[in-house]
Amino acid sequence: MSIISFLFVAFVGVVTVLYFGAPQRFRWLVLLAASTVFYASFGGRALVLLALSILADFALARLIGQTSQPGRRRLYLGLSLAINLGSLALFKYFTPAVRGLDTSVAWLSFARNLHILGTPIGLSFFTFAKLGYVIDVFRRQTSPEPSLGYFATFVAFFPNITSGPIERATHLLPQLKAGQPFDAARAAEGLRRVLWGVCKKVVIADRLAIYVDAVYNQPRYYSGPALFLATLFLAFQIYADFSAYTDIALGIAHLLGIDLFENFRQPYFATSVFDFWRRWHISLTNWIREYLLFPLSRGLLRKFRQRVAPQALQVVVYLAVMGLVGLWHGASLTFVAWGLLHGLYLSVELALPARLRQPPHGRWETALRLGVTFGLVSLAWILFRANSLSDAGYIVSHMLSLRGDFWSAILYVIPVDPGVSALFTLLGLTAAPDQSLRLIGLVLSLALIGVLLLADLSDARGGFLQSVSRAPAWLRWSFYYAVTAGILFLGSWGQQAFLYFRF
Amino acid sequence: MPRFILKLLLFALPVACYGLVAIGMPYYAGEFTPLRQVAAEQAASPVASLYGRAYRDDFVAYKLLSTQLRRANILALGSSRVWSFRAGLFNKAGASFYNAGGGANTISDLGQFVQALAADQAPQVLIVGLDQDWFDPAHVPTLVTSPAEALNQPAMDDQALLNTGRSAMVDWLTGRWSVLQLLTRKDPITQDHAVGIRAIMTGDGFRKDGSRQFGHLLSSPTATADRLAETRRRIEISGDRFEYADQFSPTAVAKLGTFLDECQARGITVIGFSPPYAPSIYAEMAASAHYGYIPKLGAELGRLFAAKGLAYFDFSDGHLPGITDDNFIDGFHGSEIVYSQMYLQMLEAQPDLLGQYSEAAPLVARLQQPRMNNLTLFDNDAVP
């Protein structure tokens, strides 16, 4: 069930009515049932795998909580790590790798045949959520959840199971148990956010995706300006796509009286790569920092402090951790390279003079560091999106060259936009040449990127949607109808799945 | 909560109005009716009906499904240049005809289309239109769904619905269709039942026998010169099915030979023909000396069919009794008057084969009667 579908709208409507209609102590049950139905829509086999993994971690956390013997506790933790990371490795990396193998080796054949189960949707996300919970129990930062039902609802919560944000049990479980009463203002806020998320997805992200996919799937057909434009669009396509999903997930949760973690904080206003990672996919960054980066740093420092300079150890840690972050996104060298490049960026930033590691002073320095950071991040996105390292190399080495006429090179990439065509038809400009339509399409895409950035700027100054909520009723409703009209008339209805759905 | 729901409904009201016009009206008009249902209703209904969608061009699948349902003993197959054969030509009892024109747009498509027919769905006689550009080595076929893919097209999903809704809304706002006319669900030319916005608004669509009704030409006739202008433009630029070539493609001829063998193996008798160009258009093409491949192709196809004991007719020059440019839809699509004359020639040449299905005298008499226009021969009432 796509979250951009009439069926999902009806589904959320029914769930909301049932949720608030149910007695407070049974509301979690409505959420669990809804989450089960939602996840089952992706396949019964995936649901079985999810259920088994929930049972395993629920039991192991309980066992950790019931024993004080360090050895036993570490054993149960190890089992949980093995099951979770093993599932991730098996379904996400190993099974796809052996799929094409012609082998009679029994265990390889078994692994190969597992591909019929597919990769369970949201595997990367709910695995980290469950692991975080088990580790928190091990560290005694939280006590094991006594109710299987609540725990299952926490893991399978339908707004965020497929693409995050990665929640913490200490943050989500109490809210699930509280079962907030209906609040009209909250509901309006939630729906506002969902509407804005849908707009970001179909009007901005999917429109940019058409250009990006055309170029990145066949980069050698395109000249420098087209490669440059597609790379610029890519940066905003990824952001609009991923943040749109987050908006929809958080909006639905908010409608139900539940607050999920914010996942983005104006990432392209970052003035360093460290700052970028405090603003991008925040729930993943926090998870990595808490459960991987800090323990690894501490461990390595403890072990090698006498022999290796701490700075060198930090470089190793950042490269290793960011490489794993790349691998988390997918079993591809390009993702790993993307992660390693960010690891390199962070390592270099660590070595910068202290003055440059502090926040910038003044507008010019801010603008310069903003530009440099955006450039570095966009360069890394090339690796994230390219179909191969060779394609990435080609794009990087050619995107600043000009072959032929500049405007033709750019406009050649831009398809005739159905939304723009519709607009022209309404204005009676049916005889407009293709070039005009393409130029308008280009201008529209750039304008929409501007809208995205303006919304982020407004967010940085107190909240874009909050300012909408404070506006007079006529302005608020005008905004709602303008966004809805934008979705209906300018939406790119071309069946583009959410990017992070694959992870 | 009740007040919140009220506000939500208030917000949704204009959106629902949009939905009613943009999606509801096209739905009512039949734009989203599953093809199987359209094909089945047209096949089963004793009355005439017209099918013509405005927003989804899936006539390959439509023709394949209809052919599978009709189990006609005579089938016309090819591109849009086969559209004008009418069921009224096959006037003997026991004759059943279906026009699958548009179901095949390349030589490969011919084979795929026939392969998709089970033994009891295949015709006894197959009249195949062999477009000249199929054998033109300079011509690159436009991407059209092949018969092999046609039935695997994805069903209409939410996104396709919204795409269609947008187009429909723009067309409504610019006056291309009206709610009142859609509510009639009638062909404006014949007042028969119509499915699809194009059929209801312009009378353009496929009749029950699979032939094409060019409603826009019947309701708003245009001058012959205007109808041939686009073809002249294509000849001038050597483009869009009128690419210059001096030789035909032997590979294409070989492919056709394979197709003929496959049909013969299935007991299907093929009658081939090269469709006509408007006489003045053909004369211009011949005079230009850019289309040397066409007469050579005619001779080659004649040899190919004769070698297999099959009949072939080269109508490329459009020279048929009583036929002028006025009888053409455009420069390379003849009307049913043209195709009726063509069929009479086929009938005369193949009395044993086609004489089982048609009697020439009534057709000749009909052609000699005064007509309302230069393009149609049969009323829909005359169509079985």
Side-chain angles (χ1 to χ4, degrees):
Chain A
M1 195 188 319
S2 166
I3 66 167
I4 305 233
S5 66
F6 294 129
L7 182 61
F8 187 75
V9 171
F11 169 77
V12 170
V14 168
V15 168
T16 305
V17 170
L18 291 175
Y19 181 75
F20 290 113
Q24 189 262 346
R25 67 184 184 281
F26 291 129
R27 286 194 182 140
W28 66 272
L29 203 52
V30 172
L31 290 182
L32 181 60
S35 300
T36 306
V37 166
F38 179 73
Y39 203 75
S41 71
F42 299 109
R45 293 181 195 129
L47 185 63
V48 168
L49 286 169
L50 175 65
L52 289 173
S53 72
I54 287 174
L55 274 169
D57 276 324
F58 174 76
L60 286 167
R62 294 271 292 170
L63 286 169
I64 291 172
Q66 282 164 7
T67 182
S68 54
Q69 294 180 34
R72 276 267 166 94
R73 291 168 63 83
R74 277 196 291 272
L75 171 67
Y76 297 139
L77 175 66
L79 275 173
S80 175
L81 282 167
I83 290 170
N84 282 293
L85 298 178
S87 308
L88 207 55
L90 182 67
F91 287 103
K92 202 162 167 174
Y93 308 109
F94 190 65
T95 303
V98 302
R99 192 176 300 161
L101 277 185
D102 182 17
T103 176
S104 55
V105 176
W107 64 274
L108 275 178
S109 296
F110 172 73
R112 186 187 55 203
N113 292 336
L114 280 177
H115 85 270
I116 60 168
L117 294 173
T119 303
I121 300 293
L123 178 68
S124 306
F125 293 94
F126 65 71
T127 297
F128 272 28
K130 287 188 295 110
L131 257 183
Y133 162 73
V134 175
I135 295 171
D136 284 349
V137 170
F138 177 81
R139 288 174 176 176
R140 294 191 168 94
Q141 286 172 345
T142 188
S143 45
E145 171 54 47
S147 160
L148 175 60
Y150 279 127
F151 180 69
T153 311
F154 154 66
V155 177
F157 189 45
F158 74 89
N160 70 321
I161 188 173
T162 58
S163 295
I166 301 168
E167 271 292 332
R168 300 280 291 271
T170 48
H171 182 246
L172 185 53
L173 271 171
Q175 296 187 75
L176 294 173
K177 293 175 183 178
Q180 297 282 355
F182 178 78
D183 182 289
R186 276 185 75 100
E189 270 174 29
L191 289 177
R192 215 174 283 134
R193 191 158 188 179
V194 170
L195 185 67
W196 178 236
V198 172
C199 180
K200 274 204 279 187
K201 169 62 176 165
V202 301
V203 178
I204 303 177
D206 287 354
R207 166 171 275 95
L208 298 177
I210 298 170
Y211 315 146
V212 172
D213 288 350
V215 173
Y216 270 70
N217 287 343
Q218 305 258 26
R220 285 160 180 79
Y221 285 176
Y222 297 94
S223 63
L227 295 172
F228 184 87
L229 185 68
T231 302
L232 175 70
F233 281 1
L234 172 65
F236 292 101
Q237 180 218 341
I238 292 182
Y239 175 45
D241 194 288
F242 197 10
S243 65
Y245 187 96
T246 301
D247 284 334
I248 295 169
L250 266 62
I252 292 171
H254 204 65
L255 168 68
L256 298 170
I258 293 164
D259 288 323
L260 300 176
F261 285 138
E262 287 293 340
N263 228 4
F264 296 93
R265 191 170 55 88
Q266 307 93 48
Y268 291 141
F269 290 173
T271 52
S272 70
V273 178
F274 269 105
D275 191 22
F276 174 78
W277 281 104
R278 285 191 286 268
R279 296 165 177 265
W280 179 274
H281 204 170
I282 298 169
S283 63
L284 175 68
T285 312
N286 287 343
W287 196 100
I288 292 290
R289 189 167 47 231
E290 171 108 17
Y291 300 111
L292 191 58
L293 183 72
F294 288 164
L296 191 61
S297 293
R298 281 196 295 267
L300 284 178
L301 267 173
R302 224 179 0 248
K303 197 162 186 185
F304 296 104
R305 188 182 14 216
Q306 309 297 333
R307 285 175 277 169
V308 184
Q311 295 88 344
L313 282 173
Q314 280 293 78
V315 169
V316 169
V317 166
Y318 277 119
L319 285 173
V321 167
M322 292 312 292
L324 286 172
V325 168
L327 194 62
W328 177 87
H329 283 81
S332 159
L333 280 177
T334 51
F335 287 127
V336 175
W338 168 80
L340 287 173
L341 183 58
H342 270 278
L344 183 65
Y345 288 158
L346 294 172
S347 305
V348 168
E349 274 191 16
L350 271 180
L352 290 174
R355 162 73 180 86
L356 289 175
R357 280 185 277 121
Q358 286 166 5
H361 301 309
R363 278 189 205 163
W364 291 111
E365 188 184 345
T366 304
L368 180 67
R369 283 166 65 168
L370 214 136
V372 169
T373 306
F374 179 75
L376 291 172
V377 167
S378 299
L379 202 65
W381 284 136
I382 295 173
L383 284 164
F384 191 86
R385 174 58 185 83
N387 291 335
S388 67
L389 290 176
S390 159
D391 277 0
Y394 180 87
I395 293 166
V396 170
S397 59
H398 287 78
M399 60 191 265
L400 294 179
S401 76
L402 175 65
R403 200 165 68 212
D405 176 72
F406 178 80
W407 280 113
S408 297
I410 292 275
L411 291 180
Y412 179 58
V413 178
I414 311 293
V416 175
D417 190 315
V420 170
S421 293
L423 197 65
F424 268 54
T425 307
L426 278 174
L427 294 172
L429 301 170
T430 45
D434 253 14
Q435 288 283 66
S436 303
L437 292 171
R438 291 172 196 273
L439 185 60
I440 297 293
L442 171 65
V443 170
L444 179 64
S445 299
L446 292 170
L448 289 170
I449 289 173
V451 166
L452 192 63
L453 289 171
L454 277 173
D456 267 9
L457 188 64
S458 176
D459 264 336
R461 290 175 180 177
F464 165 59
L465 293 174
Q466 284 83 341
S467 52
V468 170
S469 72
R470 287 191 298 267
W474 69 267
L475 194 56
R476 249 190 355 260
W477 283 70
S478 302
F479 169 80
Y480 301 153
Y481 284 123
V483 171
T484 306
I487 291 168
L488 293 172
F489 277 94
L490 296 179
S492 181
W493 304 104
Q495 299 185 352
Q496 301 272 358
F498 280 96
L499 282 173
Y500 267 70
F501 197 73
R502 291 183 242 152
F503 311 129
Chain B
M1 196 196 261
R3 197 158 164 243
F4 178 78
I5 293 177
L6 199 64
K7 277 190 181 176
L8 210 56
L9 289 172
L10 204 62
F11 165 76
L13 199 59
V15 182
C17 291
Y18 170 90
L20 196 65
V21 173
I23 296 172
M25 285 312 304
Y27 180 86
Y28 179 78
E31 287 289 317
F32 308 130
T33 308
L35 271 185
R36 279 184 200 278
Q37 189 178 328
V38 174
E41 283 173 2
Q42 254 191 339
S45 169
V47 297
S49 67
L50 191 70
Y51 164 69
R53 285 209 252 243
Y55 300 114
R56 221 179 179 201
D57 215 355
D58 45 14
F59 52 81
V60 175
Y62 161 70
K63 286 298 174 89
L64 189 51
L65 284 167
S66 296
T67 305
Q68 289 172 338
L69 284 168
R70 300 302 180 95
R71 297 161 199 248
N73 45 32
I74 313 144
L75 188 71
L77 179 63
S79 70
S80 56
R81 297 175 78 189
V82 171
W83 276 348
S84 293
F85 284 115
R86 297 292 304 272
L89 295 171
F90 307 90
N91 49 18
K92 276 195 169 170
S96 61
F97 166 77
Y98 186 70
N99 188 324
N105 295 283
T106 64
I107 298 170
S108 302
D109 286 352
L110 292 174
Q112 288 179 22
F113 194 98
V114 173
Q115 274 164 31
L117 303 175
D120 60 339
Q121 297 167 340
Q124 287 152 13
V125 176
L126 182 66
I127 301 175
V128 175
L130 301 166
D131 292 12
Q132 292 84 349
D133 53 87
W134 290 359
F135 303 88
D136 180 349
H139 173 64
V140 176
T142 318
L143 283 175
V144 176
T145 312
S146 69
E149 301 159 337
L151 299 184
N152 296 328
Q153 295 298 291
M156 184 73 96
D157 63 5
D158 289 353
Q159 304 218 4
L161 210 68
L162 286 160
N163 253 333
T164 300
R166 171 173 49 206
S167 302
M169 192 58 169
V170 169
D171 284 347
W172 178 66
L173 288 170
T174 53
R176 292 189 73 186
W177 58 265
S178 74
V179 170
L180 285 177
Q181 194 158 344
L182 283 199
L183 287 173
T184 66
R185 290 199 287 195
K186 282 199 185 307
D187 169 5
I189 309 295
T190 62
Q191 299 304 308
D192 294 327
H193 177 63
V195 176
I197 290 178
R198 191 193 299 273
I200 297 169
M201 291 306 299
T202 67
D204 277 351
F206 292 106
R207 300 185 185 94
K208 187 176 153 67
D209 64 359
S211 66
R212 183 79 176 182
Q213 176 173 286
F214 295 92
H216 66 285
L217 290 179
L218 298 174
S219 58
S220 311
T222 52
T224 303
D226 292 337
R227 296 203 307 273
L228 304 189
E230 169 58 21
T231 307
R232 291 198 159 99
R233 186 193 70 83
R234 295 186 192 192
I235 291 169
E236 197 178 313
I237 65 168
S238 174
D240 209 353
R241 306 178 75 169
F242 287 84
E243 291 82 357
Y244 303 156
D246 195 57
Q247 302 292 334
F248 58 82
S249 163
T251 313
V253 174
K255 258 192 194 170
L256 176 63
T258 307
F259 167 71
L260 294 176
D261 292 338
E262 286 167 2
C263 288
Q264 282 187 314
R266 290 188 66 173
I268 302 170
T269 306
V270 177
I271 298 175
F273 73 95
S274 292
Y277 295 96
S280 69
I281 291 294
Y282 186 82
E284 284 169 29
M285 290 167 71
S288 73
H290 290 316
Y291 297 97
Y293 82 95
I294 293 180
K296 293 171 190 168
L297 174 69
E300 181 63 19
L301 292 181
R303 278 193 288 275
L304 175 69
F305 274 74
K308 296 181 187 300
L310 299 171
Y312 164 76
F313 300 85
D314 187 355
F315 296 120
S316 301
D317 61 11
H319 285 148
L320 292 152
I323 297 299
T324 66
D325 285 350
D326 293 338
N327 303 121
F328 278 76
I329 306 294
D330 58 29
F332 57 109
H333 288 89
S335 68
E336 57 194 65
I337 293 169
V338 176
Y339 278 62
S340 302
Q341 287 288 8
M342 284 161 53
Y343 182 69
L344 275 175
Q345 298 216 341
M346 292 179 187
L347 181 57
E348 196 181 344
Q350 298 282 305
D352 295 335
L353 179 64
L354 296 176
Q356 304 169 65
Y357 310 109
S358 307
E359 213 175 301
L363 299 177
V364 172
R366 190 176 267 266
L367 277 164
Q368 285 168 349
Q369 280 169 10
R371 291 187 290 272
M372 297 261 309
N373 58 62
N374 288 319
L375 301 176
T376 57
L377 188 65
F378 298 96
D379 299 328
N380 278 355
D381 289 343
V383 174

